[in-house]
Amino acid sequence: MKCIILAAGIGRRLWPLTINVPKCLLKLDGMTIIERCMSILKDHGIKEFVVVVGRKGKCWTKEAHQMIKNLPYKITIVINEKNTETGSAYSLSLALEYVEPPVLVVDGDVVFSSRLIDNLLLKRERREQWTYLISRPAKSPYEKGGRVILDGNKVIAIGINVEGNFPWNIYSGIIAIGKALFHALKKEVSKSAYRTAEHVDVLNKLCKKHLIYNINDHRWVNVNTPDLYLTAKKVARLWDEEEQYL
């Protein structure tokens, strides 16, 4: 299994922290977000990465590209030349050309625990066929983030503005794409209608005809604001300390 990391954004909500540095290169106890992600995944047998980076924006310098390229992993760098004009769906369409199913897709700004990946990759053989995403119950109907509407453990709608009765879940930005969904996803996400869309919008269309299963796990933080960056620093340290005693 390979991992796609979607990291082409310019992190406006994190300014001034990300004016000169992309979100994925923010530090957590001396290790960048993307390096921590790769380290955890390598420990779980995922050793090849396709990283979508941006071309435009002050944070996407040649030095930033080189820092990612120089990480001690097998990395394919894919440059989204139109990153300020397109959404994560377009970035995903670029990356899918470099992988075969099954594939893990991770947002470049999500910080997660090693035990979350244990949970996701449990019963690996079955999950190579099916698609599973990670989410957690929303704390309130006003919580920001991609909503996940469930029928049992099946996803029936997903997106920022999808309608449904509360309670719903919040999407982590982590999904394992199985063989059953991969080719439909690759075809759908390449459509021009999704050029400025997020990849959850594509998943919302596909979940009406294809099975996408949910796994509840709260051990993740999307680093979208300065406050969430501070939270990620704290919880990542706690998660890592817990791992030492397991």
Side-chain angles (χ1 to χ4, degrees):
M1 178 185 282
K2 292 184 179 180
C3 176
I4 292 172
I5 300 177
L6 302 174
I10 59 174
R12 286 187 179 92
R13 285 181 288 174
L14 272 162
W15 284 0
L17 295 173
T18 51
I19 289 179
N20 297 307
V21 179
K23 285 193 287 185
C24 66
L25 291 179
L26 291 175
K27 292 287 187 71
L28 300 169
D29 284 343
M31 183 180 290
T32 63
I33 291 174
I34 193 169
E35 188 176 3
R36 185 179 188 278
C37 168
M38 291 180 175
S39 176
I40 289 173
L41 294 178
K42 184 179 179 181
D43 288 344
H44 289 81
I46 299 173
K47 300 178 181 179
E48 296 185 46
F49 302 89
V50 178
V51 182
V52 187
V53 301
R55 174 71 75 190
K56 299 179 180 179
K58 193 174 180 181
C59 64
W60 283 116
T61 61
K62 291 181 180 179
E63 290 75 18
H65 291 170
Q66 198 63 41
M67 283 181 67
I68 296 172
K69 188 175 181 179
N70 288 345
L71 292 171
Y73 305 97
K74 187 172 182 180
I75 300 171
T76 300
I77 298 291
V78 178
I79 299 178
N80 181 345
E81 302 283 352
K82 304 170 183 178
N83 61 303
T84 59
E85 309 158 28
T86 57
S88 64
Y90 182 76
S91 288
L92 180 58
S93 72
L94 299 176
L96 288 175
E97 297 299 322
Y98 295 84
V99 299
E100 293 294 333
V103 61
L104 183 66
V105 179
V106 177
D107 284 351
D109 61 356
V110 63
V111 176
F112 52 87
S113 77
S114 179
R115 294 177 70 185
L116 178 148
I117 301 301
D118 288 334
N119 197 11
L120 180 61
L121 298 183
L122 190 65
K123 298 180 181 177
R124 183 80 169 271
E125 290 184 3
R126 181 185 176 191
R127 294 188 178 185
E128 286 186 355
Q129 179 66 22
W130 302 114
T131 295
Y132 291 80
L133 60 76
I134 297 287
S135 71
R136 60 163 174 76
K139 297 174 183 176
S140 80
Y142 308 106
E143 183 175 0
K144 294 181 179 180
R147 296 176 182 175
V148 181
I149 311 299
L150 299 171
D151 180 6
N153 69 334
K154 296 176 184 178
V155 177
I156 58 172
I158 178 172
I160 300 295
N161 298 312
V162 295
E163 295 183 358
N165 295 322
F166 189 79
W168 50 67
N169 278 23
I170 300 295
Y171 177 50
S172 66
I174 302 170
I175 183 169
I177 306 292
K179 295 177 182 178
L181 182 68
F182 180 85
H183 296 291
L185 173 63
K186 189 173 181 180
K187 180 179 180 180
E188 188 69 23
V189 79
S190 66
K191 295 179 179 179
S192 60
Y194 296 109
R195 180 183 175 86
T196 60
E198 299 304 316
H199 70 278
V200 290
D201 299 318
V202 186
L203 295 175
N204 187 49
K205 172 78 175 292
L206 293 175
C207 74
K208 307 299 188 291
K209 294 183 178 181
H210 301 269
L211 289 175
I212 300 177
Y213 293 101
N214 176 70
I215 299 173
N216 278 330
D217 199 309
H218 66 278
R219 291 166 293 195
W220 56 270
V221 178
N222 282 121
V223 181
N224 291 322
T225 66
D227 285 344
L228 287 173
Y229 177 42
L230 292 176
T231 298
K233 284 184 172 182
K234 293 176 182 177
V235 296
R237 191 178 302 119
L238 290 173
W239 292 331
D240 293 345
E241 289 173 354
E242 287 176 359
E243 289 296 319
Q244 295 177 6
Y245 295 101
L246 294 177

